[in-house]
Every structure is written in C-alpha cells, then in structure tokens.
Amino acid sequence: MDATSAIRSLPGSNTPDLFLTNPTKDELEVVYRMSFAEWGDSLTLSQYLEESDYLTEVPLARNGGMVSWILTDKNQPPKQRPTLGSCETFRKRAFVTNTEGVLSEKVVYGIASVFVNPTHRRHGYGTRLMHELAKAIPKWHVGSLHSTASILYSDIGRGFYSKLGWPAFPVNNHIELDATPSATQAYACQIQAEDLPQLCQVDEAMARENMATSPAGKTRMMIVPDIDHMMWHISKEEFACQRIFGKVPQAKGAIAGHRGSRVWAIWVHRYYGHPDSSPKENTLYILRFVVENQTPTAAQFKIQIQSMKAILHATQAEAAKWNLQCVKLWHPTPLIRELVDQSGLNYRLVEREEDSIASLKWFQKPGGEPDDVEWVASEKYAWV
C-alpha cells in the first residue's frame, strides 16, 4: 500500500470513533521511533529509546505525574489501531491568586511532546488531539483539587494553539549571553546537587509569600518552582552527558551573597546536537533565577549587581567548559533586567516568535477572558 492509499484508509479527523487513550508499550515505542528525528537531539536511536523510558521514572513524572496519550480509533484493538497523534501530560502544582488577592494552591497540567506522524499531518489529527485534551483535562483532579488550567510551550509559533484555546502570552523573551571561557567567577560559589532541595524550599516559600501579597484586581498563576521540576531537567541533562562525555556536570548552578540577600541560578546543559559538530543551538539554560531581596536599598542593590555579575560570569564559564554556545535566561523580571543592565556585561534580549511560546488555557474563568490571567515566572523550569 502506497502512502496515499494508507492515508485514505485512515479514519477522518472528525469521526466520533476517535478517542484519547494510553498507549501500550509497543505503541509507545512506535511513537518514540517516529519522533526521534525531531527530538533525538545528540542521542542515537537506541539511546533515545532508553532515555524516553528513563524519563518516565524521574521526579515530576513518576507516580502518575506524567502520562502518555495517543489519538486512535476506538473500534480497533491495540495491535491494529493507528496512532494518529500523541502527547504527554504533566501534573504540576501551581500558586493562584484570584482577583480578590486570595492565594490558593491548584493543579495545572502541562502538555508536552505533541506529535503527529509527518505522513499524517495536515489531516486535522493534531487539532482533534487538542480538542480531546480540552474536554478531558478539566475533569482530572487530585483529591478535591480539579484542574485549573493547562499550559504548553509552542514550537510552531503563536497561531495554531491560540486558535484551539491556548492563547499565547504576548511576551516570550530571554536574555542571551555568549559562552566565555575566561569569565571570572571568584565571587560565586557552585551549587551542588545536595544543595538543591533546601534552595528550592526557600524559593518556594518566597514565591508563595510574593503571590500571597499580590495586589488584587487580576488573576495570577505561577508554576511552583519545586525540586521535582529541577530534577526532571537535570535527569535529562545527566542522561545525555553520561553518554556523550562519560561523565555528568557536578555544578548545578551558582550562588553569591549572604543569607537573606543571596542571588542564585540553577542551570542545565542541553545538547541539541553532538558537541563535536559544535551546533549553535547547544545551550546552558538557567532553569530558575532567584533574588532573595526584592526590595533592596541603594547600598544593597550595588551588592546585588556584583552578585549578578558573578553569577552570569559563572554561567558563561560553565557553558564554555562544556562546549555549549550560549547561556539563556527566560522571562527576566524587571529587577533582574536592571541588575543585568547594571552589571556591564554584553547580552542580547531576544523575543521568541516561533519556539517555546508560553500558552495557557484557563478552565476556571477568573471573571474575564484567559488574557486576564498573568503567568508569573514563565522560566525554563516550567518547560516540561
């Protein structure tokens, strides 16, 4: 059967016979094999298959935190039914402040790895997959907490998912610095793996307090920057680095300053291609950037500038050490932007138009349209 005949034999995207279900192990391997060309990055096919299985058991994914889905024909048995589309959903904790300024903890589901076989594209299966998710996710709950929202990061621009009910946020920018092997970093200390749980606890407590004291009048949502999010990214990083270099990075970030006035960055090494070919896309991402003192005096601000400079120098040196091309810090706050400006370092502010576009579908309407919701801290840690 040729490709055209195979497409004609598939069910139409609007038929009621299509549904979302969990794939069998064999079906999931088919999905992984099909998606390897787009998402295999620096890995071989066998390594990519191994990584895909491995990432189902790491923090954030384990215990049902991550679930795989396929769009298929409900009238056919697993060994015969077609895989028309696939994706993953991740259960996330979120802080939400309503229009009265009242804080609560909610459940938000991230949608990731949306994929349609290239030979099946432009037949409406991706749209149908998202329609089925839009119907299903509001019914999911953890205990008494029902899903409040769904998020995703679009790599196909703003239009497709916006039309399906996941409007893109207007600003999707990041600060970008070149890797610099000679960057000095004496003032900053490395963050080790054992430091992460305590730092994430401090960060979460500050985030909760900041959200709780938000001014009334607008609904605000923040994905909790917990240790599970950091460890998902770090687990993926370590898997790739072990296979590329035979070792993993020991530094998980950098920190400077005294307790109560500290500045720190948690980072991750990402290889979109093998470093031997020096692809420009290989990046040191700052997963989360934290400034403890959000209301510094003039004297404290000067110290924060030095801390910022030391942290960014450390990121540039780490990127160069691991043969990465650049450093990226997503969604910098006004305070972080000011500190970077005052640091005197050369950087670029990049507005993303096609990739990693933060998009949100709000299920519990805050009294207006989804545009009325402010997504706080759309940083790289939330991308998963």
Side-chain angles (χ1 to χ4, degrees):
M1 182 183 295
D2 60 27
T4 302
S5 298
I7 288 294
R8 289 173 179 168
S9 69
L10 295 174
S13 61
N14 293 322
T15 176
D17 294 333
L18 300 188
F19 80 135
L20 275 183
T21 190
N22 304 123
T24 65
K25 183 176 180 180
D26 289 342
E27 288 172 325
L28 194 55
E29 182 173 331
V30 169
V31 170
Y32 293 155
R33 287 181 177 275
M34 287 192 300
S35 63
F36 168 71
E38 295 190 29
W39 298 327
D41 293 348
S42 59
L43 303 176
T44 65
L45 174 58
S46 62
Q47 290 171 341
Y48 178 66
L49 295 176
E50 183 184 357
E51 180 199 51
S52 298
D53 285 336
Y54 168 69
L55 289 177
T56 65
E57 297 298 331
V58 303
L60 196 67
R62 64 167 67 115
N63 300 323
M66 187 274 278
V67 179
S68 296
W69 301 93
I70 59 171
L71 179 73
T72 189
D73 188 338
K74 65 183 178 183
N75 297 317
Q76 297 189 42
K79 291 187 178 181
Q80 299 177 23
R81 65 193 185 188
T83 298
L84 303 172
S86 61
C87 69
E88 299 164 349
T89 55
F90 285 84
R91 185 176 63 237
K92 298 167 178 280
R93 299 163 54 223
F95 295 140
V96 175
T97 307
N98 65 17
T99 53
E100 286 75 42
V102 177
L103 174 72
S104 58
E105 187 168 321
K106 301 291 187 181
V107 177
V108 169
Y109 283 88
I111 301 173
S113 304
V114 178
F115 185 82
V116 175
N117 186 332
T119 62
H120 296 171
R121 291 175 186 172
R122 300 189 181 280
H123 291 277
Y125 296 126
T127 296
R128 179 61 182 272
L129 173 70
M130 299 306 296
H131 281 322
E132 294 298 320
L133 284 171
K135 291 188 294 184
I137 294 177
K139 302 174 185 177
W140 300 346
H141 61 88
V142 178
S144 60
L145 292 177
H146 284 263
S147 177
T148 297
S150 168
I151 65 170
L152 59 84
Y153 287 88
S154 171
D155 285 334
I156 52 175
R158 300 169 180 270
F160 179 75
Y161 292 108
S162 292
K163 292 177 182 178
L164 298 176
W166 279 264
F169 273 71
V171 177
N172 290 273
N173 61 19
H174 63 260
I175 286 172
E176 184 171 310
L177 304 98
D178 294 327
T180 307
S182 60
T184 178
Q185 51 189 307
Y187 185 59
C189 299
Q190 287 188 351
I191 294 174
Q192 304 294 319
E194 58 268 24
D195 302 321
L196 291 173
Q198 193 270 338
L199 289 175
C200 288
Q201 288 178 3
V202 172
D203 185 15
E204 181 175 334
M206 288 192 302
R208 181 187 293 272
E209 182 178 355
N210 290 338
M211 291 290 287
T213 55
S214 300
K218 189 170 187 176
T219 299
R220 305 172 81 230
M221 185 277 296
M222 179 183 185
I223 301 300
V224 178
D226 54 29
I227 184 65
D228 285 355
H229 274 85
M230 308 305 162
M231 290 309 302
W232 186 92
H233 288 276
I234 290 171
S235 297
K236 181 175 176 65
E237 164 202 81
E238 291 184 344
F239 184 96
C241 288
Q242 186 64 50
R243 280 143 190 84
I244 296 171
F245 303 107
K247 61 181 180 179
V248 301
Q250 296 303 304
K252 307 305 180 186
I255 187 168
H258 300 290
R259 185 177 294 273
S261 298
R262 293 175 295 183
V263 175
W264 71 80
I266 298 173
W267 61 50
V268 70
H269 307 66
R270 182 66 186 270
Y271 294 91
Y272 294 100
H274 198 283
D276 286 349
S277 61
S278 299
K280 295 180 180 179
E281 296 82 6
N282 289 350
T283 301
L284 185 81
Y285 285 106
I286 296 177
L287 296 177
R288 176 71 171 150
F289 204 103
V290 179
V291 179
E292 273 191 308
N293 185 357
Q294 293 288 305
T295 56
T297 64
Q300 291 169 338
F301 185 70
K302 289 182 179 180
I303 296 174
Q304 286 182 334
I305 294 170
Q306 295 305 311
S307 296
M308 172 63 77
K309 188 172 184 177
I311 297 297
L312 293 181
H313 272 155
T315 66
Q316 292 176 291
E318 181 74 8
K321 176 182 177 181
W322 285 87
N323 201 10
L324 299 165
Q325 300 301 304
C326 64
V327 176
K328 293 182 181 180
L329 167 58
W330 282 14
H331 201 237
T333 64
L335 175 58
I336 289 175
R337 282 284 306 277
E338 180 65 16
L339 288 170
V340 175
D341 285 339
Q342 295 295 321
S343 73
L345 296 179
N346 293 323
Y347 74 92
R348 299 172 293 279
L349 183 65
V350 179
E351 179 65 31
R352 301 187 303 277
E353 297 291 347
E354 294 295 327
D355 64 288
S356 301
I357 305 299
S359 309
L360 180 148
K361 185 176 184 65
W362 196 260
F363 297 124
Q364 298 180 1
K365 288 190 176 180
E369 295 302 315
D371 289 345
D372 294 331
V373 181
E374 179 184 352
W375 183 347
V376 178
S378 178
E379 297 178 49
K380 185 65 176 181
Y381 75 88
W383 179 97
V384 55

